[in-house]
Amino acid sequence: MKSPRNKTIDLPPEQCGDYLAACLRPTQALSVPAATDQTICGDFFAVAPLLPDAAFRLVIADPPYNLTKVYAGETFYKTDAAAYADFTRRWLAEVRRLLTPDGSLYVCADWQTGVILAPLLSDFFTVRSRITWQREKGRGAAKNWKNCLEDVWFCTVSDDYYFDLNAVKMRRAVKAPYRENGEPKDWTQTEAGKTRLTCPSNFWDDLTIPFWSMPENTAHPTQKPEKLFAKLVLASSAPGDLILDPFAGSGTTAVVAKKLGRRFTTVEKSELYCAWTRLRLENAEKDPRIQGYENGEFLKK
Ligand SMILES: C[S@@+](CC[C@H](N)C(=O)[O-])C[C@H]1O[C@@H](n2cnc3c(N)ncnc32)[C@H](O)[C@@H]1O
């Protein structure tokens, strides 16, 4: 029995019928309208050739890391660096073709995966930054430092890329509240004190991975927080833009895109996770809030 506060979405396969029926299983090339707002159930390597060229302003990729992990009964095995590099090069090439000339790619990775991934990114893209975010949770180790950081690599197709800095500025306390002619210089008096909106850095410590009392939580083993992807979506896509997630898992990209007025195409192998994505999209119709993002600003926690 789940505790009443446990909000985890873990619908079993036998109750997924209607949600699965809403997923797409393409067998021929899709136009942009046909791919828009679709949760595609399939292997990205089989689906990618059916997706339209240069259609996506933003790709958020959270591939299986180079770790042994079970996704809905199917095991992704940790492999040697050469084999993981080959897997990565194959999907990067597809994603490069699918992005608009002013498009951006974000790739999630832990540090071990990043060692393999990072050199490959620059074969296809201009690498702009490595964002590091603090997961909060992590397994303690007897003879090592607890691993609780992850990276998101920010890449663009060209130098002419979309980036809305104002959409992701952070409100911070002002340590030295200067005045000019008696008026506050670049700060405002708010309920929280003297604050200003500042440029966000590439270290994000205002996040946690979803946990069981959060409505966004599912039983997916490596679900990302909506707040994390909201930052990527707001910075690197405009309202109405089409966003692709090639390894969609529980559908965080689709849900965030919908909540923020963007369009999406997601691809995920597991039918169960595709069904959970549809359920989350249905929930987003009723409640479009993103935990930790209010009135156009990200909260500290
Ligand atoms: C790291 S998880 C993504 C988690 C997701 N960001 C979320 O918030 O739920 C990677 C996902 O990729 C899926 N996957 C692995 N290989 C795939 C492939 N070739 N095509 C499509 N999906 C794949 C796995 O089933 C898994 O759900």
Side-chain angles (χ1 to χ4, degrees):
M1 275 286 277
K2 271 202 294 203
S3 133
R5 286 182 53 230
N6 185 344
K7 307 263 188 354
T8 305
I9 294 170
D10 54 1
L11 204 62
E14 60 276 14
Q15 289 172 30
C16 288
D18 288 351
Y19 297 113
L20 267 179
C23 297
L24 203 64
R25 288 168 191 75
T27 52
Q28 54 191 26
L30 294 170
S31 63
V32 170
T36 298
D37 291 341
Q38 296 295 340
T39 45
I40 297 178
C41 196
D43 187 313
F44 180 65
F45 295 106
V47 172
L50 306 179
L51 296 176
D53 286 358
F56 300 91
R57 198 36 149 359
L58 170 62
V59 174
I60 297 179
D62 183 14
Y65 298 174
N66 194 20
L67 298 170
T68 297
K69 182 78 69 187
V70 181
Y71 295 105
E74 189 176 332
T75 306
F76 185 93
Y77 289 98
K78 182 177 167 68
T79 179
D80 57 67
Y84 191 82
D86 181 54
F87 161 78
T88 303
R89 254 190 232 102
R90 285 172 56 220
W91 71 256
L92 284 176
E94 295 291 358
V95 158
R96 172 69 184 76
R97 180 180 59 79
L98 297 171
L99 273 163
T100 59
D102 63 354
S104 300
L105 163 71
Y106 290 91
V107 190
C108 302
D110 64 350
W111 71 268
Q112 286 161 304
T113 302
V115 168
I116 306 170
L117 171 78
L120 306 176
L121 292 172
S122 51
D123 290 346
F124 298 87
F125 299 98
T126 301
V127 181
R128 301 267 159 205
S129 191
R130 184 192 71 186
I131 300 157
T132 297
W133 66 282
Q134 188 155 239
R135 264 190 322 200
E136 288 286 336
K137 275 191 184 163
R139 228 173 246 146
K143 285 194 166 190
N144 203 343
W145 312 100
K146 184 166 90 173
N147 188 23
C148 65
L149 299 178
E150 292 204 14
D151 295 323
V152 185
W153 293 83
F154 171 36
C155 309
T156 63
V157 171
S158 69
D159 289 342
D160 177 21
Y161 58 97
Y162 180 91
F163 196 86
D164 185 354
L165 179 65
N166 284 325
V168 287
K169 280 190 171 170
M170 306 286 294
R171 188 165 292 285
R172 291 281 183 255
V174 177
K175 301 225 168 58
Y178 296 118
R179 289 182 182 269
E180 210 168 57
N181 303 324
E183 293 300 315
K185 188 172 183 302
D186 299 333
W187 55 269
T188 43
Q189 185 71 51
T190 64
E191 272 177 25
K194 297 177 176 64
T195 63
R196 76 160 61 98
L197 285 171
T198 62
C199 292
S201 81
N202 60 350
F203 175 61
W204 298 354
D205 61 352
D206 56 344
L207 295 153
T208 73
I209 52 169
F211 48 89
W212 57 271
S213 60
M214 289 164 70
E216 71 188 75
N217 193 47
T218 75
H220 190 286
T222 61
Q223 183 182 347
K224 294 294 185 292
E226 291 182 11
K227 188 179 177 187
L228 173 70
F229 283 6
K231 291 178 188 236
L232 313 181
V233 166
L234 285 166
S236 295
S237 71
D241 279 349
L242 191 53
I243 302 174
L244 171 70
D245 185 335
F247 304 101
S250 65
T252 307
T253 298
V255 171
V256 169
K258 183 180 175 70
K259 288 181 175 181
L260 295 174
R262 273 68 170 175
R263 322 307 296 267
F264 59 85
T265 306
T266 63
V267 186
E268 166 58 49
K269 249 182 176 178
S270 153
E271 297 220 327
L272 187 64
Y273 298 158
C274 289
W276 293 353
T277 299
R278 298 303 311 188
L279 171 56
R280 289 181 72 191
L281 287 166
E282 185 180 273
N283 291 345
E285 293 273 347
K286 295 173 228 150
D287 183 358
R289 286 176 299 176
I290 293 174
Q291 194 160 337
Y293 178 67
E294 279 174 21
N295 304 320
E297 286 184 20
F298 289 98
L299 307 178
K300 186 76 185 92
K301 271 292 168 192

